[in-house]
Amino acid sequence: QVQLVESGGGLVQAGGSLRLSCAASGRTFSSYAMGWFRQAPGKEREFVATISWSSGSTYYADSVKGRFTISRDNAKNTVYLQMNSLRPEDTAVYYCAVKPGPVRSVPSEYRYWGQGTQVTVSS
């Protein structure tokens, strides 16, 4: 059974940084892609970034490009989201998710989801 456990969220001032972690277990993820999504109150869940477990190829939403970096540690089955230059509009619950096959930005293509971690950026 696949389990995804996020950690690293918290409260930070605008301009600050946070690093989120997502520990994955329950299967081999070599042919999978891992994604980060976020959902702010009253808004739909939106794509943030994704990475291929095997190739390491990445893809980012325009809103975070140049500020966020997704990476993975295959030995630890863990994916990270380094978030720099945070803005109040980055405030949301952040979720990691995993899907078979190549990287994609559509939430409905992701099969397994974590429970989420809150990120709050104060102005």
Side-chain angles (χ1 to χ4, degrees):
Q1 182 174 347
V2 173
Q3 284 193 316
L4 304 174
V5 180
E6 302 102 332
S7 61
L11 173 64
V12 64
Q13 288 188 332
S17 299
L18 282 174
R19 189 177 81 155
L20 305 183
S21 300
C22 176
S25 62
R27 66 159 297 126
T28 301
F29 295 99
S30 56
S31 61
Y32 278 57
M34 180 73 78
W36 284 99
F37 297 81
R38 65 188 182 186
Q39 189 166 18
K43 295 188 177 181
E44 291 189 354
R45 192 166 298 188
E46 66 172 357
F47 167 73
V48 176
T50 183
I51 187 167
S52 167
W53 275 109
S54 57
S55 69
S57 62
T58 59
Y59 177 59
Y60 296 90
D62 287 344
S63 59
V64 306
K65 203 172 293 183
R67 300 189 297 124
F68 292 10
T69 302
I70 189 170
S71 62
R72 87 251 192 257
D73 183 331
N74 286 4
K76 296 182 178 180
N77 262 12
T78 299
V79 173
Y80 304 97
L81 185 69
Q82 178 66 43
M83 305 186 295
N84 298 329
S85 302
L86 282 161
R87 304 167 180 169
E89 55 263 39
D90 294 318
T91 295
V93 177
Y94 283 70
Y95 299 89
C96 66
V98 66
K99 65 173 294 294
V103 295
R104 291 285 190 270
S105 62
V106 179
S108 60
E109 295 194 31
Y110 285 73
R111 186 175 297 179
Y112 303 102
W113 291 81
Q115 81 288 351
T117 185
Q118 177 71 47
V119 171
T120 303
V121 184
S122 63
S123 56

